[in-house]
Amino acid sequence: MSVVPLRVVVLVSGSGTNLQALLDAGPPEMTGYAVVAVGADRPGTGGEERARTRGIPTFVVPLADHRSRDDWDRALTEEVASHTPDVVVSAGFMKVLGERFLAAHRVINTHPALL
């Protein structure tokens, strides 16, 4: 019997060391999850580069590109949803996620701050 791994979207804001730990944990057959996309709130993060070297799709949704925080939250919610995740891991993502996002996705936060 084959187990289908959880589809995980990882959100990063910096160098991507938490993302790297998720990637290094092992293949989906061992971990039970597969990182299907990595998103950032600003371009040029180390996390994006770590994902690209593994062939994982990346996306960027900068807050500054949106008229309001609510517009940004809507755009981020839709972009993440386009990758059909089972869970979203906020791996050092340094933006507060809005109500819309939290209502739409299961989220695990690795950062000790209450984001």
Side-chain angles (χ1 to χ4, degrees), residues 19-96:
L19 167 64
Q20 191 66 54
L22 290 168
L23 297 174
D24 290 346
E29 303 79 39
M30 285 179 47
T31 62
Y33 65 85
V35 176
V36 297
V38 172
D41 59 328
R42 58 190 179 84
T45 65
E48 285 178 280
E49 185 58 33
R50 290 174 193 265
R52 275 192 221 101
T53 63
R54 296 277 187 113
I56 299 169
T58 63
F59 61 89
V60 178
V61 184
L63 179 59
D65 288 357
H66 301 279
R67 291 183 322 191
S68 68
R69 190 79 179 208
D70 191 54
D71 287 346
W72 173 78
D73 186 60
R74 181 180 298 109
L76 182 64
T77 300
E78 291 171 0
E79 180 61 41
V80 169
S82 74
H83 298 281
T84 59
D86 296 306
V87 67
V88 177
V89 176
S90 175
F93 191 67
M94 298 304 291
K95 294 283 187 278
V96 174

Side-chain angles (χ1 to χ4, degrees), residues 8-13 18 22 87-97 101-102 105-115:
V8 177
V9 170
V10 180
L11 299 178
V12 299
S13 286
N18 288 325
L22 290 168
V87 67
V88 177
V89 176
S90 175
F93 191 67
M94 298 304 291
K95 294 283 187 278
V96 174
L97 299 169
F101 189 93
L102 295 173
H105 302 292
R106 292 180 178 177
V107 178
I108 298 171
N109 181 20
T110 66
H111 197 276
L114 293 176
L115 297 174

